[in-house]
């Protein structure tokens, strides 16, 4: 019960922080040019569910592990991607819009993806009891804190900035607390009973998600900082939502220790994203600075050229003053 309450509170705080990060002006721009919405759709509800489905088949998972993996793969993007996008000089507007868009799209597409990809295990008791209605209800309950966060951003921007920081820190603290509580109450036996194939999927799935996201952004011919953003958005899943659904909607005697899978996924997605950030800080930051400097130089040259053209266009004559308070016009030739 304590874990259930903690997971529910963490989910509400995370969704509130996500809403506080969204500005209505950004939403209007994305509706006029919905690239972020399209990338969120393709990344979170085409690439990741298909990846989870293929990994479950390749590693021949049983129905319980397969449902846990599929549920994690069908989840929308998480707030960890927003934090990591800052560290790799990504496009924060794109990151926030993709996270918010995937969360809203999940209300309809997540149950659909679960229903489609659970067909190979349809004859099992767990899949027959797959609570798609409860999944939709849990997703719908996340819309309230998101809407409240958007309202706070509109009315009180400073308070919204503070809540965004609190939600990001709560994300990290909650994951650590969940690991400690689970390990203390259930001991190492729980982790020992999780198959090695599930650990392998927890390692490979976020890594493949990052690669798929980068390739997707490359296909759309996006600039490098946007490619890094889309990569992180695709590989980082909302593990709080996945944990909440597994813990609150499935019978404990059926799901067993598999509710630990999103926590394992969170551990490895954070570690791999951290390596991504480290490699960028060591090798990619210089090229980013050069690109930024080049843009500033181009802007400065354009500004100088514009000033020269203004001087040329207005130099039809100059006014000179002589000693005896006389003023005369001096004609000059204008080069056409």
């Amino acid at each position: 019960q304590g874990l259930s309450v903690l997971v529910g509170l963490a989910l509400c705080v995370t969704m509130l922080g996500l809403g506080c990060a969204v500005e209505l002006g950004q939403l209007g721009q994305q509706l006029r040019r919905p690239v972020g919405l399209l990338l969120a759709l393709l990344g979170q509800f085409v690439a990741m569910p298909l990846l989870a489905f293929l990994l479950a088949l390749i590693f021949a998972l049983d129905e319980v592990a397969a449902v846990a993996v599929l549920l994690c793969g069908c989840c929308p993007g998480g707030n960890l991607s927003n934090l990591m996008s800052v560290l790799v000089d990504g496009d924060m507007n794109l990151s926030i819009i993709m996270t918010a868009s995937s969360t809203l799209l999940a209300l309809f597409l997540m149950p659909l993806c679960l229903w489609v990809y659970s067909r190979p295990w349809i004859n099992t008791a767990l899949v027959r009891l797959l609570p798609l209605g409860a999944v939709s209800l849990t997703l719908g309950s996340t819309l309230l804190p998101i809407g409240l966060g958007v309202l706070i951003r509109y009315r009180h921007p400073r308070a919204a900035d503070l809540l965004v920081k609190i939600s990001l820190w709560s994300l990290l603290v909650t994951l650590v607390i969940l690991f400690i509580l689970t390990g203390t109450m259930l001991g190492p036996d729980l982790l020992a009973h999780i198959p090695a194939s599930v650990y392998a999927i927890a390692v490979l799935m976020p890594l493949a998600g990052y690669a798929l996201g980068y390739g997707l952004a490359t296909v759309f011919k996006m600039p490098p900082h946007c490619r890094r953003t889309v990569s992180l958005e695709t590989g980082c899943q909302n593990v709080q939502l996945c944990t909440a659904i597994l813990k609150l909607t499935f019978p404990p005697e059926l799901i067993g220790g598999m509710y630990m899978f999103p926590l394992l996924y969170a551990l490895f997605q954070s570690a791999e994203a951290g390596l991504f950030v480290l490699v960028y800080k060591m090798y990619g930051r210089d090229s980013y600075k050069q690109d930024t400097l080049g843009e500033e130089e181009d802007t400065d040259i354009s500004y100088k050229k514009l000033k020269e053209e203004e001087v040329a266009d207005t130099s039809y004559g100059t006014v000179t003053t002589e000693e005896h308070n006389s003023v005369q016009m001096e004609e000059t030739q204008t080069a056409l």
Side-chain angles (χ1 to χ4, degrees):
Q1 291 177 353
L3 282 175
S4 300
V5 172
L6 177 62
V7 168
L9 289 176
L11 182 62
C12 288
V13 173
T14 301
M15 294 298 102
L16 179 64
L18 175 60
C20 288
V22 176
E23 295 185 4
L24 295 178
Q26 295 175 1
L27 289 176
Q29 293 177 3
Q30 290 299 319
L31 290 176
R32 290 190 294 270
R33 189 172 177 270
V35 178
L37 180 64
L38 180 61
L39 289 171
L41 173 64
L42 295 176
Q44 297 296 341
F45 301 108
V46 176
M48 291 304 292
L50 180 60
L51 174 63
F53 174 73
L54 293 177
L55 288 173
L57 289 181
I58 291 171
F59 285 91
L61 299 182
D62 60 22
E63 68 276 9
V64 178
V67 166
V69 171
L70 285 175
L71 187 63
C72 189
C74 295
C75 276
N79 289 55
L80 178 66
S81 59
N82 306 138
L83 178 62
M84 292 299 178
S85 294
V86 175
L87 298 178
V88 297
D89 299 315
D91 189 332
M92 281 307 299
N93 288 336
L94 178 62
S95 177
I96 292 170
I97 288 299
M98 286 188 66
T99 304
S101 300
S102 64
T103 303
L104 296 177
L105 289 171
L107 185 62
F108 308 100
L109 295 180
M110 187 175 176
L112 177 62
C113 289
L114 285 173
W115 181 81
V116 170
Y117 288 112
S118 63
R119 297 299 92 189
W121 302 275
I122 191 61
N123 292 324
T124 61
L126 183 66
V127 174
R128 285 179 179 177
L129 294 174
L130 190 63
L132 296 179
V135 171
S136 299
L137 183 62
T138 305
L139 286 167
S141 65
T142 63
L143 298 181
L144 181 60
I146 290 176
L148 180 60
V150 173
L151 180 62
I152 294 175
R153 166 62 64 182
Y154 180 72
R155 295 286 183 85
H156 308 285
R158 292 185 178 179
D161 292 335
L162 179 62
L163 287 172
V164 170
K165 294 179 181 178
I166 292 174
S167 69
L168 291 175
W169 280 108
S170 71
L171 165 66
L172 302 177
V173 173
T174 301
L175 293 177
V176 173
I177 292 176
L178 283 175
F179 270 113
I180 293 174
L181 287 179
T182 305
T184 302
M185 292 189 301
L186 302 177
D189 292 339
L190 175 67
L191 296 177
H193 281 87
I194 297 177
S197 57
V198 174
Y199 282 98
I201 291 176
V203 174
L204 294 174
M205 192 167 154
L207 189 63
Y210 295 141
L212 286 172
Y214 198 90
L216 185 63
T218 304
V219 170
F220 277 79
K221 298 180 180 180
M222 303 189 78
H225 69 291
C226 291
R227 294 179 189 179
R228 295 191 296 270
T229 303
V230 176
S231 174
L232 291 169
E233 281 292 329
T234 304
C236 290
Q237 301 296 86
N238 192 335
V239 292
Q240 302 100 310
L241 178 61
C242 185
T243 305
I245 293 174
L246 286 173
K247 193 75 177 66
L248 303 177
T249 62
F250 284 93
E253 62 273 12
L254 289 180
I255 200 65
M258 278 301 105
Y259 84 91
M260 283 290 293
F261 177 77
L263 300 180
L264 293 175
Y265 187 94
L267 175 65
F268 289 112
Q269 81 172 4
S270 302
E272 291 165 7
L275 290 176
F276 188 179
V277 172
L278 181 62
V279 170
Y280 171 74
K281 295 292 186 184
M282 293 176 62
Y283 300 104
R285 196 175 182 89
D286 293 337
S287 61
Y288 173 76
K289 289 181 178 180
Q290 290 176 1
D291 292 340
T292 306
L293 182 61
E295 291 178 0
E296 292 177 354
E297 289 176 351
D298 291 342
T299 304
D300 188 47
I301 292 172
S302 300
Y303 176 74
K304 290 179 179 179
K305 184 177 180 181
L306 177 62
K307 295 299 293 182
E308 290 174 357
E309 290 178 353
E310 288 179 355
V311 171
D313 290 340
T314 57
S315 60
Y316 289 104
T318 57
V319 179
T320 59
T321 58
E322 295 183 352
E323 289 184 353
H324 300 289
N325 296 327
S326 62
V327 180
Q328 73 176 41
M329 296 293 296
E330 203 176 88
E331 295 183 355
T332 59
Q333 293 182 351
T334 303
L336 297 178

